[in-house]
Amino acid sequence: MLPDTFPCELVSWERSCTLARRLAYAVRDSGYQPDFVVAIGRGGYVPARVVCDYLLHQMLTSIKIEHWGVAAEERPETVIRFPLSVDVAGARLLVVDDVTDTGDTLTEAVSYLTGCDASEVRTAVLQHKNTSGYLPDYYAELITEWRWIIYPWAVYEDLSGFVLRVLTAGPATAGGVAAALAENFSITVDDEMLSEICGGLVSRGEAEETGGVLRRAD
Amino acid sequence: MLPDTFPCELVSWERSCTLARRLAYAVRDSGYQPDFVVAIGRGGYVPARVVCDYLLHQMLTSIKIEHWGVAAEERPETVIRFPLSVDVAGARLLVVDDVTDTGDTLTEAVSYLTGCDASEVRTAVLQHKNTSGYLPDYYAELITEWRWIIYPWAVYEDLSGFVLRVLTAGPATAGGVAAALAENFSITVDDEMLSEICGGLVSRGEAEETGGVLRRAD
């Protein structure tokens, strides 16, 4: 369970691409030549695609791993939601994800793919948190001060969740939401994006708006 | 077969994301609620991930479609290289790719997915060229003046190919390559990226460099 307030980092597209390029070169310079690159869905799709570009690698596929929380206080269970669709027996794999947080995702991925009789499974992430229980083979950046990373391919979903968190504490104007995002999560979001996110919450019935004041729907 | 010179467009990350967001909203506003989003590998990975963000969609999977040219003058044959790994019988699918060029990829994808007994298959691309033989259900931008689109997730591979094309015409300095890219393909590339690409060609043995002059390796 995450606490009520914690630091976040919004990563730009350019920065994400720079990290992915660095990751690709780390793989290349290590001499590892994977037969397949396996993106972890959904977070690994963009990094894996960019890594394939810089490795000039064609054989990109994906699996999807989900985390099921049985109860809020328990550690979620990790399951393979969409398996591989290709025979990787005897093949060298490079598994790509965006970040190691708990490390559960990559632990599960490696266990699953090893069970598919891959000859070698190596893992690569853009950012590795040293709080993770799993150490990937390659990472572009080490994060030693824990923060929640918001990647540009998840910005809408993540920020929608953060705005709902803010509204859980009580109704707020758009300005109040922006101030709370900055204070509680060190997130600076421009007016247009915030308006888009709040509009989405209202249209999906997750929040209500009256006279410029947003409140969480029951 | 592409001619020796033709116009290109380098699309930025920000622009690609704007197009993907617009695409997601077009799907949402149409009322279509897919059960699964299917990224076409490799070009659809980034657009599909961003579309899923703005649709708050979890069920992202992928297939890979390849084009095999039997001979240079023949139209390449399209095959499913990595099939689906999930049962989509009775499901509504949203297929996402970056661009329709000939339209062969989406034609093949729809044929394959319909054969998997999906109840409905709709297609979405960032940019639809009106020269395409396939009309997607959704697109963020219509391209009426044909050009080759270079997306940021394929920039290294695409530009490596363009530099090799330039060197096929004869040896050139880095400045000469940059000038030819601009003249023949309307591509402006910064020195750092060009240096990285030329270095890659040399290290892979596809080009040789002597006294600042690059030539294509035999």
Side-chain angles (χ1 to χ4, degrees):
Chain A
M1 284 287 285
L2 290 167
D4 287 340
T5 77
F6 51 86
C8 295
E9 181 188 354
L10 273 163
V11 180
S12 71
W13 282 107
E14 287 303 325
R15 171 84 180 136
S16 301
C17 184
T18 297
L19 289 170
R21 183 172 58 172
R22 191 187 298 172
L23 189 61
Y25 287 157
V27 174
R28 183 196 65 187
D29 294 346
S30 76
Y32 188 57
Q33 297 192 318
D35 299 301
F36 299 96
V37 173
V38 181
I40 302 288
R42 298 174 298 165
Y45 268 59
V46 177
R49 177 63 190 94
V50 177
V51 163
C52 282
D53 186 31
Y54 285 92
L55 292 180
L56 301 173
H57 203 290
Q58 305 290 322
M59 295 293 110
L60 174 60
T61 187
S62 67
I63 60 175
K64 177 167 167 60
I65 294 184
E66 279 180 0
H67 305 271
W68 287 96
V70 182
E73 63 274 22
E74 284 185 44
R75 187 152 177 162
E77 196 178 336
T78 308
V79 294
I80 305 290
R81 180 65 179 81
F82 301 155
L84 277 181
S85 70
V86 58
D87 181 7
V88 296
R92 288 181 301 269
L93 307 183
L94 180 70
V95 181
V96 180
D97 206 354
D98 45 10
V99 65
T100 49
D101 194 77
T102 63
D104 289 353
T105 303
L106 285 183
T107 301
E108 180 69 22
V110 170
S111 166
Y112 165 68
L113 295 167
T114 305
C116 294
D117 295 327
S119 70
E120 189 166 1
V121 180
R122 295 196 190 177
T123 55
V125 297
L126 300 183
Q127 295 173 297
H128 169 56
K129 297 182 186 176
N130 67 351
T131 51
S132 159
Y134 178 87
L135 177 66
D137 296 291
Y138 308 96
Y139 52 84
E141 187 177 68
L142 176 66
I143 292 184
T144 54
E145 291 187 31
W146 190 93
R147 53 196 184 269
W148 182 263
I149 315 278
I150 303 175
Y151 295 101
W153 49 86
V155 69
Y156 185 79
E157 185 175 322
D158 277 5
L159 289 183
S160 297
F162 283 112
V163 172
L164 274 182
R165 271 174 175 264
V166 165
L167 295 179
T168 301
T173 60
V177 169
L181 287 176
E183 189 175 333
N184 299 344
F185 305 108
S186 52
I187 294 171
T188 306
V189 53
D190 67 47
D191 290 349
E192 192 185 334
M193 176 58 105
L194 186 59
S195 167
E196 195 174 328
I197 285 163
C198 293
L201 291 172
V202 170
S203 71
R204 290 190 304 276
E206 296 173 66
E208 293 163 354
E209 192 257 314
T210 320
V213 175
L214 284 153
R215 66 193 72 234
R216 192 166 175 152
D218 292 328
Chain B
M1 283 288 286
L2 290 168
D4 286 341
T5 78
F6 50 86
C8 295
E9 181 189 354
L10 272 164
V11 181
S12 71
W13 281 108
E14 287 304 325
R15 172 84 181 136
S16 301
C17 184
T18 297
L19 290 170
R21 184 172 57 172
R22 191 187 298 171
L23 189 61
Y25 288 157
V27 174
R28 183 196 65 188
D29 295 346
S30 77
Y32 189 57
Q33 297 191 319
D35 300 301
F36 298 96
V37 174
V38 182
I40 302 289
R42 297 173 298 165
Y45 268 59
V46 177
R49 177 63 190 95
V50 177
V51 163
C52 282
D53 186 31
Y54 285 92
L55 292 180
L56 301 173
H57 203 291
Q58 305 289 322
M59 294 293 109
L60 173 61
T61 187
S62 68
I63 59 177
K64 177 168 168 59
I65 295 184
E66 278 180 2
H67 305 272
W68 287 95
V70 182
E73 65 273 22
E74 283 185 45
R75 187 154 174 161
E77 196 179 335
T78 308
V79 294
I80 306 289
R81 181 64 179 81
F82 301 156
L84 278 180
S85 70
V86 58
D87 181 8
V88 297
R92 289 181 301 271
L93 307 184
L94 180 70
V95 180
V96 180
D97 206 353
D98 45 10
V99 66
T100 50
D101 194 76
T102 64
D104 288 352
T105 303
L106 285 182
T107 301
E108 179 69 22
V110 170
S111 166
Y112 165 68
L113 295 168
T114 304
C116 294
D117 295 328
S119 70
E120 189 167 1
V121 180
R122 294 196 191 177
T123 53
V125 297
L126 300 183
Q127 294 173 299
H128 169 56
K129 297 182 186 176
N130 67 351
T131 51
S132 159
Y134 178 87
L135 178 66
D137 296 290
Y138 308 96
Y139 51 85
E141 186 177 68
L142 177 66
I143 293 183
T144 55
E145 291 187 32
W146 190 93
R147 54 196 183 271
W148 183 263
I149 315 278
I150 303 175
Y151 295 101
W153 49 86
V155 69
Y156 185 79
E157 186 175 323
D158 277 6
L159 289 184
S160 297
F162 283 112
V163 172
L164 274 183
R165 271 175 175 265
V166 165
L167 296 180
T168 302
T173 61
V177 169
L181 287 175
E183 188 175 335
N184 300 343
F185 306 107
S186 52
I187 294 171
T188 306
V189 53
D190 68 46
D191 290 349
E192 191 184 337
M193 176 59 105
L194 185 60
S195 166
E196 194 174 330
I197 285 163
C198 293
L201 291 173
V202 170
S203 71
R204 291 190 303 277
E206 297 173 65
E208 293 163 354
E209 193 258 314
T210 320
V213 175
L214 283 152
R215 66 194 71 234
R216 191 165 177 153
D218 291 329

